[in-house]
Amino acid sequence: MNIKISKNAGFCFGVKRAMKMAWDEVESGDDGIYALGPLIHNKQAVDKYEEKGLKTVDEVSDVPPNMNMIIRSHGVAEKIYNEALEKDINIVDTTCPFVKKIHNIANEHYNKGYKIIVIGDAKHPEVIGINGWCDDSAIVIKTLEELNDIDFDNTLKYCVVAQTTINSVLYNEITDSLKESLKEVVFNDTICSATKSRQQAARDLSKEVDCMIVIGGKHSSNTQKLVKVCEEYVPTFAIETKNEIDKDEIFKYSEVGITAGASTPDWIIEDVLEYLKSL
């Protein structure tokens, strides 16, 4: 078995930065370090932080006053900051700078009278956060087909942004359609450059191997998009850890490619690699 690893695999800049900031907090030894939602979509990594004392909560109301609350890299709505301020909660803001840029674009254009369009998954925390910077009034589009169900008002000005982890091909398809439908529109390609590079590297590697293994959380948006990219070319196996590898199945392939989502720690990738080598 020959194993090839994608050039772009594992933590992206934003996640690496956020996890370092969060680790510094739990290492400080202070009591009462809370995270508003799971730090990243990787259960194994989050478990390590919770073992050090991090408490993961779903609502600001779950955090006692004067405690430290970590805002994860996905970012949150403007109202979350206001709620924390009212409760005297100290914010540790690990929002990815690329996501923060989208917040600023959405908020600025919304205040200028633009209708905001977000290309992404309405249920994803990043998109929920972006929508919260335009009073939860954004039109969220996940698929090209959804455009058929939207009645656009061409008396309005529109501003388009994208979830940082959205598939770049899908983004181009949707924006091409919007160009034909809308009279006045501003496009902002806010897909993270690391996401584009990761997807392209996975696409290139998929063409060189017999199968792909994609490592990452089941709830990680960017990981699942990598799975779809690889599936276009070769049989693809999505796993969270080495324990999910089907040894009998993987033995059918002589050239195996590996990639990993932006929220997959290096140590999990190493575990998978060492396990495959041991076979």
Side-chain angles (χ1 to χ4, degrees), residues 110-258:
Y110 174 72
N111 290 331
K112 289 180 179 179
Y114 284 78
K115 182 72 174 175
I116 307 301
I117 297 174
V118 183
I119 300 175
D121 182 351
K123 296 180 180 178
H124 192 278
E126 181 188 318
V127 175
I128 293 171
I130 295 168
N131 200 5
W133 287 89
C134 57
D135 203 24
D136 294 323
S137 64
I139 297 172
V140 182
I141 304 170
K142 185 179 180 180
T143 66
L144 193 60
E145 291 72 28
E146 289 178 1
L147 285 172
N148 299 325
D149 300 323
I150 301 173
D151 292 322
F152 292 105
D153 182 351
N154 267 318
T155 64
L156 299 177
K157 299 179 293 183
Y158 290 88
C159 171
V160 179
V161 295
Q163 182 179 337
T164 56
T165 56
I166 204 71
N167 184 295
S168 56
V169 174
L170 175 63
Y171 171 82
N172 290 330
E173 289 175 347
I174 292 176
T175 53
D176 285 345
S177 180
L178 289 173
K179 287 173 186 175
E180 297 177 2
S181 305
L182 304 178
K183 287 184 178 179
E184 189 169 355
V185 56
V186 176
F187 292 100
N188 299 275
D189 182 352
T190 52
I191 302 174
C192 175
S193 57
T195 295
K196 292 179 181 177
S197 300
R198 188 186 312 276
Q199 290 178 359
Q200 188 57 51
R203 189 175 288 111
D204 293 342
L205 182 56
S206 297
K207 297 174 183 178
E208 301 175 8
V209 296
D210 303 321
C211 77
M212 286 290 294
I213 294 176
V214 181
I215 313 167
K218 294 288 191 295
H219 301 292
S220 166
S221 172
N222 75 86
T223 298
Q224 300 314 313
K225 289 181 177 66
L226 282 176
V227 172
K228 290 183 178 179
V229 166
C230 297
E231 283 177 338
E232 293 177 11
Y233 302 95
V234 289
T236 301
F237 306 97
I239 64 170
E240 287 193 350
T241 69
K242 64 180 182 181
N243 299 328
E244 296 178 31
I245 295 175
D246 185 331
K247 186 169 65 173
D248 294 332
E249 184 66 26
I250 212 70
F251 268 139
K252 297 177 182 177
Y253 306 97
S254 57
E255 296 280 340
V256 178
I258 295 177

